[in-house]
């Protein structure tokens, strides 16, 4: 069984990493259940293993944490639902690429419950939405904004870190980084798209979509 944990208030990033590592070790040892941990963080930036220093454009704005997850710079803060996925990928097929695709499909299925079409893009990690309400790009292509980030780490075939979905964060906070190293696209949230969605609404949708994609 997958244990679902929801923390209230804002969870310190260092404390979250420590808790994830403890849980991941317990799962690997067979002494703890798999878990999905839903949190919000205070405003901060994290640097994944592929982060480039030049993409941290305002290093003094918020605390910056080096993270061992994959990916580049990302932002976490109030109004963003972070879902840490501590799952036994070894027992789930030992297919890392499939697992990442499942995480993406988890996000896409969650967004679909709010009639938001999340899409994947080759070479761009995360989940994107086409903004038909914004002007076309200079090359005539549709404008696209990122609504969710994905970054995971595996240790002994157990995952930790996970996904984040923008519900109603302060999108201006992203201006201190180049999110995921991508300069030609923006960021959005469910509320920015005009949807009066609450964090609880997203949590219910996450649970439903998780069961569809991963099962129990």
């Amino acid at each position: 069984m997958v244990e679902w944990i929801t923390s209230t208030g804002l969870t310190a990033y260092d404390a979250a990493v420590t808790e994830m590592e403890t849980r991941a070790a317990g799962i690997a040892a067979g002494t703890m259940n798999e878990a999905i941990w839903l949190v919000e963080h205070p405003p901060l930036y994290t640097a994944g293993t592929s982060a480039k220093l030049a993409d941290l454009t305002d290093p003094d704005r918020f605390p910056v944490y080096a993270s061992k997850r994959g990916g580049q710079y990302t932002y976490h803060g109030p109004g963003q639902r972070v879902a840490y996925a501590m799952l036994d990928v070894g027992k789930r097929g030992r297919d890392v690429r499939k697992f990442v695709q499942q995480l993406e499909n988890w996000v896409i299925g969650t967004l679909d419950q709010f009639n938001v079409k999340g899409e994947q893009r080759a070479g761009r990690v995360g989940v994107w939405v086409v903004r038909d309400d914004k002007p076309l790009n200079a090359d005539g292509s549709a404008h696209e904004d990122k609504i969710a980030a994905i970054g995971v780490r595996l240790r002994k075939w157990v995952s930790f870190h996970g996904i984040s979905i923008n519900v109603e964060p302060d999108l201006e906070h992203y201006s201190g980084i180049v999110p995921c190293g991508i300069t030609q696209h923006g960021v959005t949230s469910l509320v920015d798209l005009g949807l009066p969605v609450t964090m609880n609404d997203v949590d219910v949708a996450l649970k439903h979509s998780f069961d569809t994609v991963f099962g129990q």
Side-chain angles (χ1 to χ4, degrees), residues 12-33:
Y13 186 77
D14 280 343
V17 172
T18 299
E19 180 64 28
M20 281 191 287
E21 290 181 341
T22 299
R23 172 71 69 144
I27 295 168
T31 60
M32 301 183 78
N33 291 329

Side-chain angles (χ1 to χ4, degrees), residues 30-63:
T31 60
M32 301 183 78
N33 291 329
E34 295 179 301
I36 301 297
W37 184 19
L38 306 178
V39 305
E40 287 180 84
H41 288 303
L44 59 92
Y45 299 129
T46 65
T49 54
S50 302
K52 300 174 183 177
L53 187 58
D55 289 341
L56 181 62
T57 58
D58 191 354
D60 299 321
R61 185 167 192 187
F62 298 128

Side-chain angles (χ1 to χ4, degrees), residues 42 45 53 55 60 75 77 83 85 127 145 211 216:
Y45 299 129
L53 187 58
D55 289 341
D60 299 321
Y75 166 77
V127 177
D145 285 338
D211 290 344
Q216 284 287 345

Side-chain angles (χ1 to χ4, degrees), residues 79-149:
Q80 181 191 75
R81 175 51 86 211
V82 177
Y84 288 131
M86 291 155 282
L87 301 173
D88 190 337
V89 181
K91 292 182 178 179
R92 293 173 179 269
R94 292 196 173 214
D95 187 331
V96 177
R97 180 172 295 182
K98 178 183 176 182
F99 178 66
V100 173
Q101 290 175 338
Q102 287 176 314
L103 292 175
E104 292 174 332
N105 289 334
W106 181 23
V107 173
I108 290 169
T110 299
L111 296 175
D112 184 63
Q113 293 173 68
F114 304 105
N115 294 315
V116 173
K117 185 180 181 182
E119 301 182 26
Q120 300 151 302
R121 289 292 182 266
R124 286 193 255 144
V125 180
V127 177
W128 302 79
V129 293
V130 175
R131 299 299 301 271
D132 293 328
D133 57 325
K134 291 188 175 183
L136 297 176
N137 295 319
D139 62 0
S141 62
H143 185 91
E144 296 179 349
D145 285 338
K146 189 171 188 175
I147 194 167

